[in-house]
Amino acid sequence: MNKPFVVAGLGLLALATVLSVYGVPTGLKTGTLYTNEPEGMVGCYTSGTSGELVTDSDSGTAIIEDRSGRRVAVTWPIGWSARSSLLGVSVLDKQGNVNARTGTHVYLMGGYWQDESFLTCGTAPD
């Protein structure tokens, strides 16, 4: 067996494992200067919604609302991002901390409806 090929193969396997668990950047719908301030929303409305966070091909994430069962795209604050892995999509705040994951039940803190999606301030403990 050729040792360089084995080492290269193990390296590729390790890289694939890391990417499958920790993920790669993916698209996420975020607010604009017209929907919130440059540093994020100023304050947060008292409205909110809860349900299962799921992936969405257009916005990155959507929520299946508990009350109505409808699927609604989610718009996250400016500067937030997402990464995709075999485990789903993780939504990251501006500091890079995981704020939400698809496949989990979330409560989206106050926001409002815009462009057929729910503009949220982020998640709160469920």
Side-chain angles (χ1 to χ4, degrees):
M1 189 178 285
N2 196 337
K3 191 172 184 177
F5 289 116
V6 171
V7 171
L10 289 175
L12 287 174
L13 179 62
L15 177 62
T17 301
V18 167
L19 291 178
S20 70
V21 173
Y22 293 103
V24 294
T26 190
L28 185 71
K29 184 174 182 178
T30 59
T32 67
L33 294 178
Y34 300 107
T35 57
N36 51 14
E37 297 297 318
E39 292 302 315
M41 294 175 75
V42 177
C44 197
Y45 288 97
T46 57
S47 60
T49 189
S50 63
E52 182 181 357
L53 192 66
V54 296
T55 59
D56 185 80
S57 60
D58 293 328
S59 64
T61 59
I63 188 169
I64 308 295
E65 292 187 307
D66 287 337
R67 289 181 296 213
S68 66
R70 70 181 173 159
R71 180 187 184 99
V72 178
V74 178
T75 300
W76 299 90
I78 292 173
W80 286 41
S81 61
R83 64 179 183 230
S84 180
S85 72
L86 292 177
L87 303 175
V89 173
S90 296
V91 179
L92 311 172
D93 63 20
K94 286 194 270 187
Q95 291 75 35
N97 302 311
V98 175
N99 189 270
R101 286 189 175 88
T102 57
T104 64
H105 191 270
V106 296
Y107 176 77
L108 299 178
M109 293 189 301
Y112 53 92
W113 298 100
Q114 178 170 334
D115 301 327
E116 299 180 19
S117 71
F118 186 78
L119 177 68
T120 183
C121 299
T123 62
D126 195 23

